[in-house]
Amino acid sequence: MKPDVRVESGLDCPELARGLIDGMLDAVWLVDARSLRVVAANAAAGVLMGGEPQRLCGCDVIELSATPEDLFFWGEVAAGEAERIESQTFVRRFDGGIVAVTRRVSRCHPAAGETLYVVALHDRSAQRRIEDELEDRLAELAATLESTADGILVTDLAGRIRSFNQTFARQWGIPAEMLAQRDDDALFGWMRRSVDDPAEYTRRLGAIDAAPLLRASDTVRLRTGTVLERVTLPQCSRGSPIGRVYSFRDITERLAAIQRIETLSHTDLLTGLPNRHVLAGRVEFAMAMAQRDGTPFALLFANLDRFKPINDTLGHAVGDRVLVEVAERFRSCLRQVDMVARLGGDEFVLLIHQASACGAETAARRVLDAMQRPFTQAGLTFTLTCSIGITLHPGDGADVNELIRRADHAMHAVKQAGRAGYRFHSSDAAAGPNDPRSRLRLDHAMRLALSRGDFRLHYQPQVDLHSGEVRGAEALIRWCDPELGNVTPAEFIPVAEESGFIVAIGDWVLREAVRQAAEWHAQGRALIVSVNVSALQFRRADFVERVGAVLAAAALPAQWLELELTESILVQDAPEALQRLDALSTLGVKLAIDDFGTGYSSLGYLKRFPIDRLKIDRRFVQGLPGDASDASIVQAIVDLGRALRLQIVAEGVETEAQRQFLLSAGCAQYQGFLFAPALDSASFEARLAEARRPKPPASLHVVG
């Protein structure tokens, strides 16, 4: 459409105008310049406005406008400031809707003295929708870039920066002023100066730029210590590369976590020493070197002596500081080629390279000497020792576990011998009953024996020295295992006490002994049955209640049960022991101190405890009557018992001479092979029947 239309005079203006504008595709108004009212409109204008074009005739163009700015616009038009004016605006449809349009206004003179404005309106609704959608997409893209945790940098094929997000700027520490300048060279220079190795960074970047389709991933370490994972991908449009997208992810914390995990997998967290895993690797390497060069090495298994009281008394925090100091002392004792590892708790293993027995002994002495120096923690100065077991390769083991296990055995042998020393592994000692493997097998066999009912009780008669009558019996456990054969109490009781299984065994002995005592009581046999009680069993909070429940279940009067306890049980926690003994005495149970004279005797405790009998240990009876020392001890115990109104029973009586001495000394009862060994219940009853038959005086005491 031409902007300036001139019409020859004499033509009818509306008809001429209508003919001019009807053929146009865009909406067109003819507006009278003086009144600014529409005098004609084409069909396209009717479609745009949503009505017949005739409705536009006579309408004020200001009323058809949708924005306040149109007031100024039509003022400029009326002022004739320009021949043609083009702008983007909005018009109001007949139904009140708003339509975006491109408006072009041109001046024309259809007749002399007449001026019209030709207003062409191009509907921009579809274009506006596309632009709005594109703007929304761009906003979403920008929000996505800013919301991602990765730094994003987008460049074109020439390396010019097209876009980036704020995460990228923060990761690289780029100043806000530099970002505002939009100076690509300055920004890339900043990035080169920020990395640890600018030359390698530049070389790598050049290789990426040289291959537009390259997909790559690497790491960039900044001078600040930050480590970025850089992933670069080609940016393509219609299948062709148009640029490159770099994403930067901060992996500093992830790498640090991996490093911490790696450190923890090889290092003891508390002391910083190598752990068992590293020790195993070093020992295997030492074994390989020994196999190649024939050079021996030694393992020292060190365990702190009485470390638990430190934790219990001073607290675990102080205990941890002690372990750290111990680790430092051990480390100071070693050569640079040697190592010390912490297995856990208070257990350490020292690997001594190229060491014979002499070298291992020298290292052990250095460790013991280092431990002699006092420790000072929490304002307290104390001494802490350690026990060391030593194994030598290749003689003491073919693999890591065997060497450590045997060194552990040797260390426990030092503990049993008094602690604060060292000992080499001995094959003879390892094969004995103290071998942990043997003890482990024994512990398992005991548990099976209890569940299968393999344990039995035998009863050793307790005989009145004056009348020769049997007054009671001591219940003694016996065990015949299908695989191990006869296992003596001396073999399995210590293992049971160590594992805590002695409580279960003790409960079974108590129930079985009370059951048998109740059976004899029902038969009219006036026999007191004695049962040995372990320390663990006695210290259980419900021990008194258990005894009462067992007696009630068997319907046995309490006075026919006697519990035998050692002196050590009673003096370890005297107030609690006294409370428990008083409860048992109130129940009616008789109480005896077993193996009297071998433990921690205290006359004060004997006076306070409700004890009924003292039992003289067999070690003092064996030398009677010839051993003057044993005779004096036995006489003193009998006199003590008489003074405290306690009955005295002698154990292990095997000869008539011993019996006669005990009788003359004033002892009340005895038990031992002179009368009978421990017998099963049937044999026990038979021995009772035999003893009651009238016999010559010389045959009253038959050796069992």
Side-chain angles (χ1 to χ4, degrees), residues 191-491:
M191 294 175 69
R192 279 192 299 272
R193 293 190 300 273
S194 298
V195 299
D196 268 355
D197 190 348
E200 174 60 23
Y201 174 81
T202 302
R203 185 197 68 78
R204 180 61 178 158
L205 201 59
I208 293 173
D209 291 341
L213 295 177
L214 177 68
R215 297 169 177 261
S217 175
D218 59 0
T219 57
V220 178
R221 188 176 295 273
L222 306 186
R223 294 183 184 275
T224 59
T226 300
V227 181
L228 300 176
E229 180 184 36
R230 176 175 60 182
V231 176
T232 175
L233 298 172
Q235 187 182 37
C236 297
S237 177
R238 296 182 177 89
S240 299
I242 61 172
R244 183 163 292 280
V245 178
Y246 296 91
S247 67
F248 300 90
R249 178 167 297 179
D250 190 340
I251 59 173
T252 310
E253 291 187 1
R254 189 176 75 188
L255 292 180
I258 293 173
Q259 182 61 42
R260 285 195 297 270
I261 294 172
E262 183 72 13
T263 300
L264 289 175
S265 67
H266 294 89
T267 307
D268 174 58
L269 183 61
L270 176 64
T271 63
L273 294 176
N275 59 13
R276 182 187 293 269
H277 177 73
V278 176
L279 173 67
R282 291 286 296 273
V283 172
E284 288 176 357
F285 176 77
M287 293 173 68
M289 294 296 293
Q291 186 176 6
R292 188 187 71 179
D293 303 333
T295 54
F297 66 87
L299 284 187
L300 278 60
F301 195 112
N303 182 265
L304 303 184
D305 299 326
R306 299 184 177 90
F307 179 69
K308 187 176 183 299
I310 293 177
N311 271 336
D312 294 343
T313 304
L314 303 180
H316 288 277
V318 174
D320 287 349
R321 292 200 293 271
V322 170
L323 289 173
V324 171
E325 185 173 347
V326 168
E328 289 300 322
R329 293 191 186 190
F330 285 174
R331 192 184 281 118
S332 68
C333 297
L334 302 179
R335 302 167 299 178
Q336 190 171 1
V337 296
D338 302 327
M339 73 167 290
V340 55
R342 181 180 178 222
L343 299 189
D346 57 351
E347 294 181 340
F348 299 82
V349 172
L350 292 79
L351 170 61
I352 313 299
H353 286 281
Q354 299 178 346
S356 61
C358 181
E361 186 173 6
T362 300
R365 289 184 181 277
R366 284 201 304 266
V367 170
L368 293 176
D369 290 343
M371 293 297 292
Q372 290 297 319
R373 299 196 306 271
F375 290 80
T376 301
Q377 293 288 346
L380 183 67
T381 300
F382 54 90
T383 299
L384 186 63
T385 61
C386 70
S387 300
I388 302 173
I390 305 173
T391 50
L392 301 172
H393 179 79
D396 293 335
D399 59 49
V400 177
N401 293 331
E402 188 173 16
L403 287 170
I404 293 178
R405 178 174 57 80
R406 289 182 171 177
D408 186 18
H409 299 172
M411 180 273 295
H412 278 95
V414 177
K415 295 274 191 184
Q416 294 172 0
R419 300 179 175 86
Y422 64 88
R423 178 172 295 187
F424 286 88
H425 164 72
S426 169
S427 57
D428 293 337
N434 290 326
D435 174 24
R437 282 194 173 184
S438 298
R439 298 171 76 87
L440 191 63
R441 286 194 297 267
L442 198 59
D443 180 75
H444 180 65
M446 278 190 302
R447 297 173 190 273
L448 290 179
L450 185 60
S451 63
R452 292 192 307 236
D454 290 345
F455 288 120
R456 295 288 183 268
L457 284 188
H458 284 193
Y459 301 88
Q460 186 169 44
Q462 295 175 335
V463 185
D464 188 292
L465 274 164
H466 297 278
S467 65
E469 294 183 1
V470 177
R471 299 296 188 185
E474 180 179 1
L476 299 169
I477 191 169
R478 296 292 183 262
W479 176 24
C480 182
D481 188 80
E483 296 182 3
L484 303 175
N486 287 319
V487 186
T488 66
E491 293 178 279

Side-chain angles (χ1 to χ4, degrees), residues 21-67:
I21 63 178
D22 276 345
M24 295 183 179
L25 298 178
D26 287 336
V28 178
W29 304 338
L30 293 181
V31 179
D32 180 69
R34 289 189 299 272
S35 64
L36 295 181
R37 292 181 178 275
V38 178
V39 297
N42 64 358
V47 174
L48 176 68
M49 301 302 290
E52 294 295 328
Q54 291 81 1
R55 291 183 60 182
L56 288 167
C57 295
C59 291
D60 191 331
V61 293
I62 300 298
E63 294 177 356
L64 297 175
S65 301
T67 63

